[in-house]
Amino acid sequence: PIESKLPRPDVLLSSWGLELRREVAAKGRGVFAASAAKGSHIKPGEAVLVSKPYVYCVSSTEAQSRCHHCLTAAADPASLSRCSKCKFCLYCSVDCQRNAWNMWHQQECAALQSVAPARPTETVLLMARLFWRRAKESVAKPRLDIGKQKVIESTYSDVEFLVSNRNKFKSEKVEQFGQMALLVARLVGPSSLPASASELVELFFKFSCNNYNISDAEFRPIGVGLYPTAALINHSCHPNCIALFRGTESVIRAIEPIEEGQEITTTYVEYTLPKRLRQAELLDNFFFNCDCIRCIDIREAVTDDLELVKNEELLKTLKSMHESAKTKAQVSIDDLERAAKSAESSLDILHSYTYYEIMMELQQRYIDSQRWEGASKSAVAVLRFLENVCQQLWPILGLQYFMVGKLYWFREQTDLAINSLNLAFQILS
């Protein structure tokens, strides 16, 4: 390998056969498959980019059942070792506890004790960890070599390279970040903070636009992390890659063939959302209107049919479902079953996002109550929707085949189970 004089992001990407273009129409900059290897392409399933987070933390909902360093779930949460000083962080092994101590917990532990019994939010803890990690970075610039593919480890300079969209945030969000900055300052102390308050708030803007939700193998959120190089990849509602996670490592993996010179894309929003909801979320959180092939295609596969619902009871059930995430009050299975029947009689259920929402909820409720026949029928209904709207190798489609296969197996429908599990394997492998 030879040392490069190129800007650091370019070198990091070039080691994976990628290139950063800085003038992409309507997007600013973007990551592309390098055009050096003529005739070559990236195959579905191949890792396009693997990187470690600059900072990360376990989600608050998983904080009592996962190691706070490697994010591994404990079979028995009681087996996790709690830090004897801060009484907050949990670890699955001595190695994880030692590595966390060396990374940032040495400073973090004292800070957590100073604010106990209060606990910082995920965003505040992430920001504090950023400054603790930055303080440990060597003054010497790391050597960057071209031509050696390896897991990318970021430095603070990679964080500085990210865009913040500062001028696009609403005033109330700016005020909220200012309040959070005060909490970070209390945790970290003045010696580790940026020279100005505006620089600290600027980092909150960057976090908001560039963080990744870390998920487990079944796409359940388990943490949040900042992956500066992966964050350079632009969005598409019909992406050619997907962000997966191997512990705390981010793996950008191809789900379609990618030709030389083609842009690398992932999705920033839930794939199954109808266009109206995707566009609203992208505009609210990332400040752009998407004009990808899926958004301009008049044959959008997901039907945004809420406005077509005329049944008052169905509308009431849908409203209760949407509010349950905040209120924690579950909609009854009877109400969900009546809503499903109403939807089946009035909506295009193979493409209806409304029907998909109902059946996803029913599937989980039947499973929780061990009503396997109902769970199986609901899971098949969800699968039919996903078959009609998802790309061929979309992992959630594979996971749903796996779910249907397991439920068939519980009901001793062996042939159907094996067929569904084989289809799951074809996608997930």
Side-chain angles (χ1 to χ4, degrees), residues 329-349:
Q330 289 187 325
V331 181
S332 73
I333 288 181
D334 288 343
D335 285 344
L336 289 170
E337 288 174 337
R338 284 193 289 270
K341 287 181 180 179
S342 177
E344 287 165 357
S345 65
S346 58
L347 302 176
D348 174 13
I349 61 175

Side-chain angles (χ1 to χ4, degrees), residues 103-123:
M103 188 175 289
W104 47 56
H105 192 60
Q106 183 176 6
Q107 293 76 24
E108 174 183 74
C109 188
L112 290 173
Q113 291 177 67
S114 71
V115 299
R119 297 299 185 197
T121 64
E122 293 168 19
T123 304

Side-chain angles (χ1 to χ4, degrees), residues 38-173:
K38 298 296 183 182
S40 65
H41 67 275
I42 300 170
K43 298 180 178 63
E46 284 188 25
V48 175
L49 182 71
V50 182
S51 56
K52 295 181 179 181
Y54 187 71
V55 287
Y56 65 94
C57 70
V58 67
S59 69
S60 57
T61 57
E62 300 286 319
Q64 298 304 313
S65 59
R66 289 183 180 271
C67 175
H68 288 207
H69 181 68
C70 69
L71 303 187
T72 299
D76 176 12
S79 67
L80 295 169
S81 298
R82 189 178 299 274
C83 175
S84 61
K85 294 183 178 180
C86 71
K87 311 294 185 185
F88 175 67
C89 293
L90 301 171
Y91 303 103
C92 65
S93 68
V94 173
D95 284 343
C96 276
Q97 188 163 6
R98 183 185 300 114
N99 290 335
W101 183 264
N102 293 333
M103 188 175 289
W104 47 56
H105 192 60
Q106 183 176 6
Q107 293 76 24
E108 174 183 74
C109 188
L112 290 173
Q113 291 177 67
S114 71
V115 299
R119 297 299 185 197
T121 64
E122 293 168 19
T123 304
V124 169
L125 188 59
L126 270 178
M127 185 67 75
R129 286 180 171 183
L130 181 144
F131 293 118
W132 289 319
R133 175 160 185 188
R134 186 182 71 164
K136 288 179 176 288
E137 282 187 10
S138 171
V139 176
K141 292 184 178 180
R143 178 184 176 91
L144 293 174
D145 296 325
I146 290 180
K148 186 178 181 182
Q149 186 182 76
K150 59 183 179 180
V151 177
I152 290 175
E153 295 193 45
S154 300
T155 67
Y156 186 71
S157 66
D158 301 320
V159 178
E160 292 180 308
F161 189 72
L162 296 174
V163 297
S164 68
N165 293 310
R166 179 181 187 130
N167 297 327
K168 298 179 181 179
F169 282 89
K170 295 178 181 178
S171 57
E172 53 266 31
K173 197 69 174 178

Side-chain angles (χ1 to χ4, degrees), residues 321 324 329-336 358-371 374-375 378:
M321 280 175 53
S324 64
Q330 289 187 325
V331 181
S332 73
I333 288 181
D334 288 343
D335 285 344
L336 289 170
I358 295 169
M359 299 315 290
M360 280 289 288
E361 183 71 16
L362 259 179
Q363 172 186 288
Q364 190 57 52
R365 298 293 298 282
Y366 281 136
I367 291 173
D368 291 343
S369 58
Q370 298 186 5
R371 294 168 60 176
S378 300

Side-chain angles (χ1 to χ4, degrees), residues 253-285:
R253 198 173 292 279
I255 57 171
E256 292 187 346
I258 302 173
E259 302 298 331
E260 57 170 320
Q262 186 176 347
E263 185 174 13
I264 306 298
T265 57
T266 60
T267 181
Y268 295 177
V269 297
E270 182 188 340
Y271 185 90
T272 55
L273 290 174
K275 178 180 176 179
R276 174 180 59 85
L277 297 181
R278 294 197 311 271
Q279 294 278 14
E281 188 171 337
L282 290 168
L283 190 60
D284 286 347
N285 297 327

